[in-house]
């Protein structure tokens, strides 16, 4: 269950961005999880909801986007975007495939509430 | 002003693109440089519990004695049994004591590095926590990542745990002396491993009969530039 330690890193990142932008609350965060990152989205969510208590992201919703794995089949030539770590061509069943992408684990976006006048580059 | 409730807050959306494990990756890079500065080859050993990491290290220590000096960063977090086994061989060992962690990360290894007599060593082995899932996500700063698969675990493991096999430079198929007693197809295991990681190298070893040990040692020596 390394999702717990990953969430600690994620919360550290969020705290840093929130501080830099003088945010009072973070309301939503978007994380991209690669199919080959070794992170289980469901466990990440559970861990996030457990550890966000008492942080600036206490009321934040975690939105997870799945970064697909692109599998190119050397036998039938087809390319598939897969949402699970499988290496068998879904078209012809061949194992003669080449995988690329899907290994990222990235904080993409934060939505936060800043106090008027205190936010950097206020709008 | 907040358009929804008029509370005087402003909403701000920040587009970032930050690797969540960036801190770990940076530390891993530092570890690698640290080892390299001391002309040390760092080897990370990963496997499920009991695949034979410590036994392999005991044998490796015996066979390299007098030729290369090895040290070990031991990730057995629960007991000091593995550490004791290796110390009994005269190997400098530092045990990571981070409680119940399911993997080693670059910071834990960094702490370990400072307790080893690096000036006196040629190779540092990092025995990761026995687990085929969690260690795969963490670069610990080794030059060589090795995954052990013992023949008693089944030949389907590379397909079931593809991420750790993708992260490895070398798959060691261990306990080959037990092949006559189990239904383990080397051919299938290698095929599946090459499917998830086309550039993975494969060596078959038995720490018991020493079959394949020479190939394993040569593999390491080649990377030592020796
Ligand atoms: N027959 C046979 N048994 C082996 C071999 N290598 C290891 N074993 C046995 O497998 C068991 C586990 O070996 P360890 O070396 O402790 O495995 P490990 O990977 O270090 O285990 P953890 O640190 O607990 O994850 C022990 O009983 C060893 O004696 C081998 O090559 N052949
Ligand atoms: Mg061990
Ligand atoms: Zn196909």
């Amino acid at each position: 269950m390394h999702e717990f330690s990953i969430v600690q890193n994620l919360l550290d990142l969020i705290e840093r961005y929130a501080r830099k932008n003088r945010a009072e609350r973070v309301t939503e965060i978007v994380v991209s999880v690669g199919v080959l990152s070794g992170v289980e989205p469901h466990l990440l969510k559970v861990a996030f909801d457990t550890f966000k208590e008492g942080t600036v992201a206490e009321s934040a919703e975690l939105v997870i986007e799945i970064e697909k794995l692109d599998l190119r089949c050397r036998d039938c030539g087809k390319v598939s975007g897969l949402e699970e770590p499988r290496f068998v061509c879904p078209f012809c069943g061949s194992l003669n495939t080449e995988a690329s992408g899907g290994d990222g684990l990235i904080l993409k976006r934060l939505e936060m509430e800043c106090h008027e006048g205190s936010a950097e580059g206020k709008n | 002003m907040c358009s929804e409730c008029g509370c005087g807050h402003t909403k701000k959306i920040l587009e970032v693109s930050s690797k969540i494990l960036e801190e770990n990756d940076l530390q891993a890079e530092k570890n690698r440089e640290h080892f390299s500065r001391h002309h040390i080859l760092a080897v990370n050993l990963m496997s499920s519990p009991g695949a034979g990491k410590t036994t392999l290290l005991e044998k490796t220590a015996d066979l390299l004695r007098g030729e290369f000096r090895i040290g070990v960063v031991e990730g057995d977090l629960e007991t000091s049994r593995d550490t004791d086994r290796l110390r009994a061989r005269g190997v400098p060992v530092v045990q990571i004591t981070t409680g119940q962690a399911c993997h080693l990360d670059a910071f834990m290894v960094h702490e370990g590095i400072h307790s080893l007599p690096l000036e006196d060593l040629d190779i540092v082995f990092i025995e990761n926590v026995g687990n085929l899932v969690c260690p795969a996500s963490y670069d610990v700063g080794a030059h060589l990542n090795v995954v052990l698969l013992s023949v008693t675990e089944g030949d389907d493991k590379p397909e079931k745990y593809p991420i750790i096999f993708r992260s490895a430079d070398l798959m060691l198929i261990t306990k080959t002396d037990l092949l006559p007693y189990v239904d383990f197809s080397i051919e299938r295991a290698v095929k599946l491993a090459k499917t998830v990681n086309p550039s993975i190298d494969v060596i078959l070893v038995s720490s018991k009969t020493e079959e394949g040990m020479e190939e394993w040692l040569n593999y390491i020596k080649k990377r030592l530039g020796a």
Side-chain angles (χ1 to χ4, degrees):
Chain A
M1 264 293 276
H2 58 303
E3 282 78 6
F4 281 113
S5 28
I6 283 172
V7 159
Q8 301 296 356
N9 293 317
L10 175 60
L11 285 169
D12 287 347
L13 263 183
I14 295 171
E15 294 272 5
R16 219 179 309 147
Y17 281 118
R19 220 175 309 125
K20 214 169 21 178
N21 290 275
R22 301 207 185 90
E24 285 215 328
R25 305 194 305 140
V26 175
T27 49
E28 185 179 289
I29 68 157
V30 180
V31 169
S32 165
V33 175
V35 167
L36 296 179
S37 68
V39 170
E40 191 58 54
H42 172 69
L43 294 179
L44 189 68
K45 207 150 187 156
V46 171
F48 182 76
D49 288 335
T50 308
F51 285 108
K52 70 182 184 182
E53 305 278 319
T55 74
V56 71
E58 186 158 42
S59 55
E61 196 200 336
L62 171 63
V63 177
I64 295 179
E65 291 176 357
I66 302 296
E67 181 199 344
K68 288 184 186 174
L69 131 78
D70 290 317
L71 201 67
R72 199 181 65 81
C73 178
R74 291 201 194 87
D75 286 338
C76 75
K78 293 211 171 81
V79 177
S80 349
L82 300 184
E83 297 212 356
E84 45 177 6
R86 289 185 45 84
F87 298 84
V88 180
C89 172
F91 293 100
C92 72
S94 167
L95 262 178
N96 191 13
T97 55
E98 193 181 344
S100 62
D103 36 32
L105 183 60
I106 292 164
L107 170 60
K108 288 179 74 175
R109 188 162 65 242
L110 300 92
E111 196 179 289
M112 42 194 150
E113 282 174 6
C114 311
H115 242 318
E116 190 143 30
S118 63
E120 261 177 7
K122 85 184 224 203
N123 40 1
Chain B
M1 186 148 63
C2 172
S3 57
E4 277 154 41
C5 62
C7 63
H9 285 113
T10 49
K11 258 205 159 69
K12 184 163 180 176
I13 291 175
L14 199 63
E15 300 284 345
V16 296
S17 188
S18 298
K19 284 168 70 179
I20 295 175
L21 289 178
E22 177 145 58
E23 302 263 307
N24 183 78
D25 292 349
L26 291 173
Q27 183 60 49
E29 215 41 67
K30 282 190 207 156
N31 292 356
R32 235 181 319 272
E33 283 163 17
H34 197 141
F35 285 124
S36 298
R37 256 201 317 280
H38 287 85
H39 306 285
I40 286 174
L41 177 75
V43 184
N44 177 27
L45 298 182
M46 301 176 285
S47 79
S48 59
K53 300 181 292 298
T54 310
T55 311
L56 179 82
L57 286 178
E58 289 174 309
K59 263 279 140 54
T60 303
D62 288 350
L63 295 171
L64 288 180
R65 187 163 295 122
E67 197 181 351
F68 295 103
R69 297 155 304 173
I70 77 170
V72 175
V73 176
E74 180 54 64
D76 178 359
L77 309 168
E78 297 288 332
T79 70
S80 66
R81 201 162 305 161
D82 289 357
T83 300
D84 298 341
R85 281 166 63 185
L86 292 162
R87 283 203 179 125
R89 299 290 214 273
V91 176
V93 187
V94 52
Q95 182 171 10
I96 310 271
T97 46
T98 334
Q100 305 256 337
C102 47
H103 61 272
L104 295 184
D105 67 27
F107 293 95
M108 301 176 194
V109 169
H110 179 246
E111 253 177 57
I113 293 176
H114 284 285
S115 315
L116 282 177
L118 293 188
E119 318 72 51
D120 301 334
L121 301 178
D122 302 302
I123 310 169
V124 168
F125 289 98
I126 300 158
E127 179 174 343
N128 218 310
V129 182
N131 182 324
L132 279 180
V133 180
C134 308
S137 296
Y138 290 86
D139 185 355
V140 293
H143 300 102
L144 202 59
N145 290 299
V146 179
V147 61
L148 285 73
L149 170 60
S150 59
V151 300
T152 50
E153 291 170 67
D155 50 25
D156 57 348
K157 291 302 166 291
E159 190 184 21
K160 279 194 181 158
Y161 301 94
I163 293 148
I164 202 156
F165 287 87
R166 263 178 94 77
S167 75
D169 303 291
L170 169 68
M171 169 169 75
L172 279 180
I173 298 182
T174 61
K175 308 192 190 180
T176 52
D177 56 289
L178 298 177
L179 273 171
Y181 311 104
V182 290
D183 287 326
F184 183 98
S185 159
I186 299 282
E187 197 190 337
R188 193 163 124 85
V190 172
K191 185 176 177 183
L192 291 172
K194 293 267 184 194
T195 300
V196 305
N197 179 1
S199 63
I200 199 168
D201 295 315
V202 181
I203 296 176
L204 314 185
V205 289
S206 163
S207 297
K208 191 167 177 177
T209 65
E210 295 190 13
E211 183 207 352
M213 280 304 287
E214 201 178 320
E215 196 183 346
W216 153 242
L217 296 179
N218 285 338
Y219 188 90
I220 291 175
K221 288 181 199 169
K222 208 157 74 200
R223 270 151 197 86
L224 266 172

